[in-house]
Amino acid sequence: MKDNHADTHINNLADQLVDRFGRRVEYVRLSVTDRCDFRCVYCMAEEMQFLPRNEVLSLEELYQVSRAFVELGVNKIRLTGGEPLVRKGILGLIEQLGQLPAELLITTNGSQLPVMANDLKRLGVDRLNISLDSLQADKFKRLTRTGKLNQVLEGIDAAIAAGFERIKLNAVVLKGRNDDEVLDLVEFARHKGVDITFIEEMPLGAITEHDREEAYCSSDELHQIISQRYDLIDSTEKTGGPSHYYRMPDSDSRVGFISPHSHNFCSECNRVRMTVEGRLLLCLGNEHSMDLRQVMRDHPDNIEVLKQHMIQAMDLKPEQHHFDLSEEQPQIVRFMNMTGG
């Protein structure tokens, strides 16, 4: 059971995470590892150099920083990676986080769900996002380089059977790679009774698999494709993140779009990220950050010092990102697996 005692919520605005533009941070995406059993073409290079263990936050540090966030008003924690479920000891951390008075979510590639879905539900995970970019085994293999489609499909079924509050599929659509599967992915989501969100590719890290400008597929284009078969009804529903949702009159499944390029959502940003090496990243599309790993290691077990640094870091949060797909070199050189999903 989550601890819902009123004294765990801080009501003093001075002790909340509020940036210079009046945006209150209530949602943290916490990367627990930079490692992954897939090598998705839009996320990382095929041959990766991963961080040595001493540069990665320990499970104890991950819990401490999570507790500090919650005490400062964060009500949503999403575990990301790399692939969060390959982190050794992750179930123990999830059990601890499941006791905090905050919604606990995980973004996963689904590979570990056949054996872990029931444990995740039992330990307090509320919702899952599962990446699924193709329903064709050969294409899935090319996009993930090392992934097995059947394993992920089994994971989706295991998650549905476990009874999570909500399950959402995430699909990054690239022209010439998987844009011909958009309708199939929507139909799959409808058949399974889950939601699906289509995400415009983020220009993070230098990749060689494709030209990002040529492969870019906008949310508007996808909306048009889907509307040819299904009536999409605009919805004001929010789940705490940047997805813009649409309903279909004959299904409980929702279709969402995350559009960092075509429909900038920075004015409503309520999120920060913690990278696996302990950098509090104030914006996905900028390098503004604070090293909280050093703070924790300089002041072990002093959560008040950690919280004060978090509050100070809010002044670093920029007004908006400036993604530009036409640049030959990416503005942000870190890969998505380093940033946290």
Side-chain angles (χ1 to χ4, degrees), residues 167-184:
I167 296 170
K168 179 162 71 74
L169 306 178
N170 284 341
V172 176
V173 178
L174 306 175
K175 282 185 179 174
R177 302 295 295 261
N178 62 340
D179 55 324
D180 59 332
E181 288 194 71
V182 171
L183 290 173
D184 291 339

Side-chain angles (χ1 to χ4, degrees), residues 141-255:
K141 180 77 170 180
R142 289 195 297 272
L143 286 166
T144 63
R145 297 193 182 104
T146 57
K148 297 177 181 177
L149 177 61
N150 283 343
Q151 187 176 1
V152 174
L153 296 180
E154 289 174 15
I156 292 169
D157 286 339
I160 293 169
F164 287 93
E165 177 185 318
R166 202 92 199 186
I167 296 170
K168 179 162 71 74
L169 306 178
N170 284 341
V172 176
V173 178
L174 306 175
K175 282 185 179 174
R177 302 295 295 261
N178 62 340
D179 55 324
D180 59 332
E181 288 194 71
V182 171
L183 290 173
D184 291 339
L185 287 165
V186 174
E187 182 56 38
F188 178 81
R190 286 164 54 94
H191 175 68
K192 295 294 184 181
V194 300
D195 298 334
I196 185 165
T197 288
F198 294 98
I199 306 171
E200 293 177 350
E201 184 186 10
M202 311 287 188
L204 275 69
I207 60 172
T208 58
E209 283 278 339
H210 58 271
D211 182 307
R212 280 177 165 144
E213 189 174 15
E214 291 180 1
Y216 169 63
C217 197
S218 74
S219 294
D220 291 340
E221 293 174 90
L222 297 177
H223 186 288
Q224 187 175 18
I225 292 170
I226 297 167
S227 295
Q228 293 172 8
R229 181 180 298 177
Y230 306 108
D231 289 332
L232 295 181
I233 303 167
D234 201 351
S235 171
T236 59
E237 293 172 274
K238 290 287 186 181
T239 59
S243 282
H244 185 149
Y245 285 105
Y246 292 81
R247 286 281 188 177
M248 294 172 283
D250 60 342
S251 173
D252 288 333
S253 295
R254 297 176 297 187
V255 176

Side-chain angles (χ1 to χ4, degrees), residues 31-34 51 55-57 62 87 274-279 293 337-339:
S31 177
V32 299
T33 181
D34 62 331
L51 291 167
E55 293 184 21
V56 173
L57 293 182
L62 287 165
R87 172 77 191 254
M274 273 290 293
T275 68
V276 65
E277 73 270 40
R279 287 173 58 204
R293 182 185 68 193
N337 71 300
M338 295 290 296
T339 303

Side-chain angles (χ1 to χ4, degrees), residues 123-142:
L123 295 174
V125 176
D126 298 294
R127 290 191 277 136
L128 289 179
N129 285 4
I130 305 170
S131 299
L132 183 67
D133 299 323
S134 176
L135 293 166
Q136 300 175 25
D138 56 341
K139 191 182 297 183
F140 186 88
K141 180 77 170 180
R142 289 195 297 272

Side-chain angles (χ1 to χ4, degrees), residues 6-141:
D7 60 2
T8 59
H9 290 282
I10 308 298
N11 295 315
N12 184 347
L13 189 60
D15 291 329
Q16 299 278 322
L17 300 176
V18 181
D19 71 11
R20 294 172 297 141
F21 308 98
R23 298 171 299 192
R24 184 174 301 184
V25 171
E26 298 175 320
Y27 178 7
V28 61
R29 301 177 69 98
L30 183 68
S31 177
V32 299
T33 181
D34 62 331
R35 298 171 187 270
C36 187
D37 48 344
F38 291 4
R39 295 289 185 274
C40 296
V41 298
Y42 51 79
C43 182
M44 65 175 81
E46 188 167 5
E47 299 295 329
M48 289 294 298
Q49 287 284 124
F50 295 112
L51 291 167
R53 172 180 266 179
N54 67 327
E55 293 184 21
V56 173
L57 293 182
S58 68
L59 296 175
E60 293 76 17
E61 288 168 332
L62 287 165
Y63 175 73
Q64 184 182 33
V65 80
S66 299
R67 180 184 152 203
F69 273 121
V70 171
E71 291 184 8
L72 289 172
V74 163
N75 56 34
K76 190 183 304 290
I77 299 172
R78 179 178 296 282
L79 301 187
T80 69
E83 169 48 47
L85 299 183
V86 301
R87 172 77 191 254
K88 187 176 180 180
I90 189 63
L91 290 179
L93 174 64
I94 289 170
E95 184 172 16
Q96 286 185 296
L97 297 180
Q99 303 298 314
L100 294 175
E103 191 176 14
L104 182 59
L105 315 107
I106 295 179
T107 292
T108 173
N109 64 27
S111 68
Q112 306 303 308
L113 290 178
V115 295
M116 295 179 76
N118 285 327
D119 284 336
L120 297 177
K121 181 67 172 63
R122 175 178 58 83
L123 295 174
V125 176
D126 298 294
R127 290 191 277 136
L128 289 179
N129 285 4
I130 305 170
S131 299
L132 183 67
D133 299 323
S134 176
L135 293 166
Q136 300 175 25
D138 56 341
K139 191 182 297 183
F140 186 88
K141 180 77 170 180

